[in-house]
Amino acid sequence: MSESHGCCRCCFSFIFTLGLTSLFMWLSLRTSNPKCSIDTFFLPALNNSLIKSTRSTNNTVYFVLKLENPNKDKGIYYDAVNVNVSVAVYNDTPSKNHSLIGSSVIPNFYQGHKKKAYKNGSVEFDRQLQAVFRAVLNNSTKAEFRVDMATAVRFKIMAWKTKRHKIRVGGDVKVDGQGSIEGKKGIKLKSMAAPNKKMISCFVVIAVGFLINFFVFYFA
């Protein structure tokens, strides 16, 4: 009888240690995707305070992309960051369509723990100029744009790099009569893909298995 209880205690100790090790590994390897937002967004062509000749000759969208690494002990390697800028066109209907203005590419870079990065970009919209002003007229001197960002990242955990994780985020940007973001606040870019729950599911399975084995061996 005593040998049986000793065996149960030994098995329980092993399972308990395995559970703690799994929990520690999960906490150590868990990663959080970078937080992405549009910090500034400016179109001189829509700035009513500029003289007409200046507005008409500058058909460029200027923006600053803000990328924040929320991980305390993990760096992030970014592949080239692709940014698409579109304008919302209503075409005399309540529903809107997005017409692509152009794209900008930010070169690959590395971001340290808990660091923020501000990346400048610009897009010219020569062919889309009429669509932009049509959007402004339909929105009472305000225009609405769409910014979509796509890249892939690798997380640096000590000396080890994870595999690439694709990131696709986007958000709507409303511009006022000064050609800047309405409200003077940054626009958060939200994920357009379902979250990856594989690691969370794995941890749940380990935890459930641990509890089942605990009750089986302890009350046997």
Side-chain angles (χ1 to χ4, degrees):
M1 187 71 177
S2 60
E3 292 181 359
S4 177
H5 282 288
C7 182
C8 290
R9 284 195 296 270
C10 181
C11 291
F12 169 74
S13 177
F14 171 76
I15 296 172
F16 182 75
T17 302
L18 180 63
L20 287 179
T21 303
S22 300
L23 175 61
F24 174 77
M25 291 184 62
W26 179 75
L27 292 174
S28 299
L29 299 177
R30 184 184 58 175
T31 57
S32 297
N33 284 338
K35 298 178 181 179
C36 310
S37 61
I38 297 295
D39 189 67
T40 58
F41 193 90
F42 178 60
L43 292 87
L46 300 183
N47 189 342
N48 296 326
S49 63
L50 298 178
I51 61 176
K52 185 176 180 180
S53 59
T54 303
R55 296 200 308 266
S56 61
T57 56
N58 193 340
N59 302 332
T60 306
V61 179
Y62 300 96
F63 63 87
V64 176
L65 183 65
K66 178 183 176 182
L67 300 168
E68 182 178 355
N69 181 4
N71 299 283
K72 294 182 179 180
D73 54 357
K74 301 173 184 68
I76 300 179
Y77 287 93
Y78 292 81
D79 285 356
V81 180
N82 299 284
V83 181
N84 291 335
V85 180
S86 306
V87 61
V89 183
Y90 287 83
N91 294 326
D92 300 325
T93 61
S95 61
K96 62 182 177 182
N97 296 313
H98 288 97
S99 180
L100 180 65
I101 294 174
S103 301
S104 179
V105 179
I106 298 171
N108 59 306
F109 66 98
Y110 172 77
Q111 186 177 42
H113 312 161
K114 300 291 290 184
K115 297 294 184 179
K116 297 178 182 179
Y118 295 87
K119 299 296 181 178
N120 297 318
S122 62
V123 172
E124 294 185 1
F125 57 99
D126 294 338
R127 296 182 179 179
Q128 301 297 335
L129 186 58
Q130 293 182 356
V132 172
F133 283 109
R134 184 163 61 249
V136 174
L137 294 175
N138 290 341
N139 286 278
S140 302
T141 72
K142 295 180 181 179
E144 182 177 329
F145 296 83
R146 174 78 184 182
V147 177
D148 294 307
M149 190 202 87
T151 186
V153 299
R154 291 176 295 163
F155 296 95
K156 181 182 179 183
I157 305 175
M158 293 183 289
W160 174 64
K161 298 178 185 178
T162 67
K163 65 178 183 179
R164 282 179 169 82
H165 299 269
K166 293 183 179 180
I167 294 179
R168 294 177 64 248
V169 294
D172 296 327
V173 180
K174 293 184 178 180
V175 175
D176 58 20
Q178 301 301 312
S180 301
I181 296 177
E182 185 179 18
K184 306 298 182 181
K185 293 183 179 179
I187 303 298
K188 181 180 179 180
L189 301 182
K190 299 180 180 180
S191 175
M192 296 183 291
N196 187 355
K197 299 181 179 179
K198 184 176 180 180
M199 183 169 285
I200 298 177
S201 301
C202 181
F203 173 72
V204 171
V205 171
I206 292 174
V208 171
F210 167 74
L211 291 175
I212 292 175
N213 282 279
F214 167 75
F215 284 106
V216 168
F217 284 100
Y218 186 79
F219 294 103

